[in-house]
Amino acid sequence: MENRVLGKLKATANVIRKDIITMLAESKSGHPGGSLSAVEILTYLYFKEMNVNPSSPKDENRDRFVLSKGHGAPVLYSTLAEKGYFPKEELMKLRKTNSMLQGHPDMKGTPGVDMSTGSLGQGLSVSNGMALSAKLDNKSYRVYALLGDGELQEGQVWEAALTAAHYKLDNLTIFIDHNGLQIDGTNEEVKNVNPIEDKWKAFGWHTISIDGHDLQQIEKAVEEAKSTKGKPTVIIASTVKGKGVSFMENEVGWHGVAPNAEQKEQALKELEVLK
């Protein structure tokens, strides 16, 4: 990746992080930890990789993205707003009555949202349907999805994993946001999901492990996924919950708590330094 492009993507990721903090502080509700951990993944997909156009959000030939961990909606909303799907002013209406931006993504109310999500474990099944549809219709679009690592405790994920491998859905790439934490503690404490890579290999997937905050590693993994034929690809992205904000990083308490005014200002100052 050219330094110019890399620098632009990093700057975009920083803007998205600041918007996440600002919108959550305004709404006094939402999920900062798992939104901040996935910023680089969505930044790369929407601003470098995916064939999408905000002026034609329902284009049948567009690439698709499914946020299976729907409580991470702030990172999706901030990314879509930065991409131009709707005015940034809408971010300040998060979770408010009659807002297009509810606590979980709504494909009927929000431009750019390809699937309504929130019930964990269902996103991969939907992504399978999209990818299989593309193959049946001889369409070239690709399907991307983001799952949480705690979400892997859901049995439906593994049924869907079998299905994707069975149908050789090589137009499907999923990311696992592997930050190691969920609402009740560490994954190991709640219900151990390790070894993640071995499980996906056993289910017939091409597996790649990366640093989920390294845009160049994300690019390399996506390119490898596109060149992999005959099986779907899972990119296991090691991330930091609350990435970019010192008092949120690796703190399970920031799973679903919005920052207050003072915490918002501290977070924005830290992110300004990273600019």
Side-chain angles (χ1 to χ4, degrees):
M1 189 187 303
E2 296 179 7
N3 288 336
R4 175 183 59 84
V5 176
L6 179 60
K8 190 173 181 179
L9 288 174
K10 285 183 176 180
T12 299
N14 192 256
V15 170
I16 290 171
R17 276 201 168 85
K18 288 189 281 189
D19 285 344
I20 290 170
I21 294 297
T22 303
M23 70 191 293
L24 288 174
E26 176 67 22
S27 72
K28 298 181 175 60
S29 178
H31 295 77
S35 294
L36 293 170
S37 64
V39 169
E40 279 77 17
I41 295 170
L42 269 73
T43 298
Y44 182 81
L45 289 177
Y46 277 91
F47 291 90
K48 179 69 166 60
E49 179 57 35
M50 292 200 305
N51 174 32
V52 292
N53 185 350
S55 64
S56 184
K58 295 297 184 182
D59 184 344
E60 65 178 19
N61 294 311
R62 74 190 185 283
D63 289 335
R64 272 71 165 171
F65 176 79
V66 176
L67 182 68
S68 189
K69 43 173 273 180
H71 57 281
V75 67
L76 178 58
Y77 295 157
S78 298
T79 302
L80 292 175
E82 183 67 17
K83 186 70 176 178
Y85 280 90
F86 49 82
K88 278 201 171 185
E89 289 76 17
E90 293 294 329
L91 296 178
M92 298 304 102
K93 302 175 185 177
L94 174 69
R95 289 181 170 236
K96 295 182 179 179
T97 303
N98 297 322
S99 169
M100 71 163 66
L101 305 181
Q102 293 303 304
H104 295 86
D106 176 11
M107 64 189 293
K108 293 183 178 180
T110 309
V113 173
D114 289 318
M115 184 61 202
S116 301
T117 54
S119 296
L120 293 176
Q122 297 181 1
L124 181 52
S125 295
V126 173
S127 301
N128 284 347
M130 293 175 175
L132 185 57
S133 177
K135 285 188 172 292
L136 292 173
D137 293 339
N138 293 314
K139 298 286 187 179
S140 62
Y141 66 79
R142 297 189 62 83
V143 180
Y144 297 90
L146 178 67
L147 284 71
D149 49 4
E151 187 177 4
L152 301 185
Q153 296 161 354
E154 298 282 353
Q156 185 172 342
V157 169
W158 300 104
E159 288 188 69
L162 285 172
T163 299
H166 177 79
Y167 287 105
K168 299 179 173 57
L169 299 181
D170 50 16
N171 56 346
L172 170 64
T173 299
I174 69 170
F175 285 84
I176 306 298
D177 184 7
H178 188 19
N179 58 46
L181 298 174
Q182 56 190 102
I183 190 170
D184 291 323
T186 67
N187 297 335
E188 286 79 3
E189 291 170 337
V190 178
K191 184 183 291 185
N192 195 358
V193 295
N194 292 321
I196 293 177
E197 186 169 358
D198 290 346
K199 286 183 172 70
W200 287 95
K201 283 182 178 178
F203 275 71
W205 286 61
H206 178 62
T207 63
I208 308 170
S209 293
I210 64 168
D211 177 344
H213 300 302
D214 188 318
L215 288 159
Q216 290 179 307
Q217 288 189 36
I218 294 172
E219 178 181 54
K220 183 178 179 181
V222 169
E223 290 301 315
E224 183 177 328
K226 290 194 295 184
S227 66
T228 298
K229 304 303 178 184
K231 59 174 60 177
T233 294
V234 56
I235 300 172
I236 303 163
S238 294
T239 60
V240 175
K241 197 152 190 170
K243 176 69 174 178
V245 179
S246 62
F247 58 89
M248 291 185 180
E249 288 190 351
N250 284 318
E251 292 292 336
V252 70
W254 285 101
H255 176 87
V257 177
N260 60 31
E262 182 180 349
Q263 291 165 332
K264 166 194 166 185
E265 292 308 315
Q266 181 181 343
L268 292 178
K269 284 181 181 178
E270 292 184 11
L271 292 170
E272 192 63 32
V273 171
L274 294 175
K275 187 175 180 181

